[in-house]
Amino acid sequence: MIVMKFGGSSLESAGAIEQAASIVKEHLDQKPVLVVSAMAKTTDQLLEAARSAARGDSYSARQHTEALRRMHCNETRGVLGQRAEPFLRDSIAPMFRDLQVLLVELREGRPFTPQIQDEVLSYGERLSSLIVAESFRHLGIRAAQVDARKVIVTDGQFTHATPLHWDTYSRLRRTVALLARDRVVVMGGFIGATLDGVTTTLGRGGSDLTASLVGAGISADEIQIWTDVDGMLSCDPRVLAGGRLLREISYQEAQEMARFGAKVLHPASVAPALCQRIPIVIRNSRRPEVQGTRVVSKVQSAPGIVKCLTSKAGMAVVHLRVKNRGMLSSITGGLADLFAREHIAVDLIQAQEQGISFALENWPGLSQVLRKVDESVDIAVEEDRAAIWLVGEGIAHAASTLARARGALQGADVRLASQGSSSLSLGFVIREADLQAAMEALHREFFAAPASLNGRPRTSSIRTEVGQALSLRGALSPAVALKSNQ
Ligand code: ASP
Ligand code: MG
């Protein structure tokens, strides 16, 4: 058996669904189980509809749901033709009616809780899995839709629930694995339910995690992630075009890349596959002739080689200064608690004599939240920052890599640098305005110039001085944070 996950853009239209069907037909002998995302941008639009309804704007809520209804019906008609009407009437229309009821309740004052948000967002994958299964049957594939909420069991952390592995695996084995013997199972990604059956979601982009869970649960031979790019590239195509396709990367490299900004895979999706050493293959549904990227246990390349550059924009750097060094451990302890409570992920940390600096994704309430740590701490927040990571097995221990990276970033206003505690990454925080130039300079250093430069002119040199910094990333614990002071 294999798992084939199709992302939203790989199912965005009748043509895309037909293309997915023809790809699946090529793999029928491997007994595929399909995990599907919501079609195109459905999840964003559902969220907008719910937010509009919650603030009393029923006109806007209606517009979003109407657009969604039209899109789902039109694309279904595009595949099913004449046969669409009874299916739309009996299976799709009732779902839009139920969604409408929820939105009316929100407009009338029902609190817009994370639980309701998950309920609303779940319609995306529930609709797409029904439509894909019906379309596949029409196209000659024996397909059965399974409601993912019946098999993916999670805790009750709405909007970012954690799967309960053993319950999920046992349900997958009892249902999906059996059905998959003689038909193509189609289930929605991203959604699940608590043991009591309350709908949850795994967090944005969570369909990859569903695919990996399903793969582990049915002991699949392979997990294929079908998306709209050729695979993992040596640089983020949204920042710099022309990166190289990576043929093979390790699970750890994939995890690190996903964690540090590569959008192709959800960061949590590697672990279930890794536990059972199931290869993950990333492929382009628009160019199925391309082999894509394989994520496997052992890669052929020597350690210390930079595999890829990842980045995150919209970051902030926070500097906390304490009056005396003794306060530092209580501050870092307080921060660790605060971050765990508020689900804040810190990406780079650097400890100094007088305090601690770290980088994280910026958001409007950041400064206020930080005030909760300790009133006496002096806090400075630098906004409009971006982080770049060099990722590859063992690169944090390759002194020459750090030297070459610093050389390439010569003149960049490097605010923070971090040698990854995992040994797989080196990170630098720079000004957001310098992101493309820095990426280009690093790519030139480690991979030679990319083929095209996103249509933008070659950059001027990046400014100011390289900050001196060697620090640690990872869990913010006093031990880790203080280490570089010793
Ligand atoms: N539809 C969900 C999202 O847009 C999950 C996914 O596509 O992975 O985040
Ligand atoms: Mg995705």
Side-chain angles (χ1 to χ4, degrees):
M1 275 182 284
I2 58 168
V3 174
M4 301 178 81
K5 180 253 171 174
F6 286 86
S9 56
S10 300
L11 301 167
E12 67 189 357
S13 61
I17 294 172
E18 284 165 351
Q19 168 75 356
S22 78
I23 293 171
V24 169
K25 281 181 182 171
E26 298 282 311
H27 293 274
L28 283 178
D29 56 332
Q30 290 169 290
K31 302 197 186 303
V33 172
L34 251 70
V35 172
V36 295
S37 288
M39 288 171 70
K41 299 262 173 258
T42 298
T43 311
D44 290 331
Q45 219 157 1
L46 285 168
L47 193 55
E48 276 311 308
R51 285 183 178 147
S52 305
R55 51 166 200 269
D57 186 348
S58 45
Y59 175 74
S60 163
R62 188 86 210 172
Q63 276 199 321
H64 287 297
T65 46
E66 260 315 293
L68 283 173
R69 202 186 53 75
R70 232 176 298 120
M71 186 272 280
H72 282 88
C73 292
N74 286 345
E75 302 310 327
T76 305
R77 287 190 187 103
V79 184
L80 300 182
Q82 299 281 326
R83 284 188 42 202
E85 297 318 315
F87 168 69
L88 291 176
R89 186 190 59 227
D90 300 337
S91 301
I92 302 302
M95 296 195 61
F96 277 99
R97 277 199 296 275
D98 292 349
L99 172 62
Q100 203 50 47
V101 169
L102 261 179
L103 295 176
V104 168
E105 286 175 5
L106 283 176
R107 199 201 60 215
E108 288 175 351
R110 181 171 179 183
F112 183 32
T113 58
Q115 180 177 339
I116 297 294
Q117 177 171 319
D118 279 355
E119 182 72 30
V120 171
L121 296 197
S122 74
Y123 279 88
E125 272 72 10
R126 287 157 63 192
L127 286 162
S128 67
S129 56
L130 280 171
I131 291 170
V132 168
E134 185 68 15
S135 300
F136 277 20
R137 285 191 284 270
H138 179 71
L139 296 166
I141 299 172
R142 190 152 189 243
Q145 190 254 9
V146 166
D147 187 338
R149 297 172 303 167
K150 298 265 187 318
V151 280
I152 306 295
V153 188
T154 73
D155 67 9
Q157 291 182 71
F158 297 103
T159 74
H160 51 269
T162 304
L164 306 180
H165 289 86
W166 304 121
D167 295 293
T168 301
Y169 293 165
S170 97
R171 291 191 192 192
L172 281 164
R173 273 194 300 273
R174 276 187 281 130
T175 55
V176 173
L178 294 184
L179 277 172
R181 285 184 188 167
D182 62 354
R183 68 204 75 189
V184 174
V185 174
V186 181
M187 53 187 278
F190 177 58
I191 59 176
T194 61
L195 279 166
D196 304 337
V198 183
T199 301
T200 55
T201 68
L202 306 177
R204 296 304 305 270
S207 295
D208 298 335
L209 174 53
T210 309
S212 190
L213 284 170
V214 173
I218 64 171
S219 300
D221 300 316
E222 187 170 287
I223 297 162
Q224 300 178 351
I225 306 287
W226 290 88
T227 177
D228 57 3
V229 291
D230 286 346
M232 290 280 204
L233 301 177
S234 58
C235 59
D236 184 342
R238 292 160 305 169
V239 181
L240 191 65
R244 290 195 201 156
L245 176 64
L246 305 173
R247 278 283 139 80
E248 227 177 44
I249 54 175
S250 69
Y251 290 111
Q252 284 77 13
E253 286 171 334
Q255 220 156 17
E256 201 86 340
M257 290 172 194
R259 180 167 169 213
F260 293 140
K263 288 275 179 258
V264 184
L265 267 189
H266 185 280
S269 68
V270 178
L274 167 75
C275 282
Q276 295 194 27
R277 299 278 185 267
I278 304 171
I280 301 173
V281 190
I282 300 150
R283 302 201 47 185
N284 191 343
S285 65
R286 292 168 191 169
R287 301 194 335 133
E289 66 282 5
V290 177
Q291 284 306 307
T293 302
R294 282 184 81 77
V295 183
V296 294
S297 311
K298 274 257 164 296
V299 286
Q300 300 302 331
S301 61
I305 291 182
V306 177
K307 285 288 183 61
C308 135
L309 305 174
T310 63
S311 63
K312 282 187 191 174
M315 304 279 288
V317 174
V318 179
H319 304 282
L320 297 182
R321 296 285 166 266
V322 289
K323 300 209 172 56
N324 61 65
R325 220 186 127 182
M327 287 171 68
L328 201 53
S329 66
S330 81
I331 298 296
T332 50
L335 272 177
D337 291 346
L338 175 76
F339 292 163
R341 222 174 30 245
E342 308 270 344
H343 302 289
I344 298 170
V346 175
D347 286 323
L348 291 101
I349 302 171
Q350 180 183 320
Q352 300 106 349
E353 195 65 25
Q354 283 307 312
I356 182 165
S357 300
F358 50 89
L360 73 183
E361 276 166 45
N362 196 10
W363 88 100
L366 175 62
S367 300
Q368 265 171 329
V369 166
L370 289 170
R371 295 260 158 247
K372 292 185 200 161
V373 184
D374 189 325
E375 296 282 312
S376 68
V377 180
D378 183 19
I379 300 174
V381 180
E382 293 175 18
E383 300 193 315
D384 301 320
R385 303 290 165 217
I388 295 189
W389 287 271
L390 285 63
V391 182
E393 297 269 1
I395 65 163
H397 299 322
S400 63
T401 308
L402 180 62
R404 283 174 70 192
R406 284 191 179 286
L409 290 172
Q410 196 56 252
D413 188 5
V414 176
R415 313 301 300 191
L416 261 183
S418 157
Q419 200 154 354
S421 51
S422 68
S423 87
L424 280 139
S425 62
L426 276 175
F428 300 91
V429 179
I430 52 170
R431 299 186 331 149
E432 194 170 271
D434 292 335
L435 176 59
Q436 213 217 344
M439 192 74 138
E440 196 186 314
L442 286 168
H443 203 277
R444 196 176 313 112
E445 173 65 32
F446 291 102
F447 302 93
S452 110
L453 291 169
N454 242 0
R456 289 182 219 175
R458 273 197 118 74
T459 43
S460 51
S461 65
I462 7 182
R463 255 160 301 145
T464 52
E465 214 173 87
V466 180
Q468 43 79 25
L470 167 73
S471 75
L472 296 150
R473 176 186 62 66
L476 181 69
S477 68
V480 169
L482 289 171
K483 221 163 162 179
S484 60
N485 276 334
Q486 290 162 2

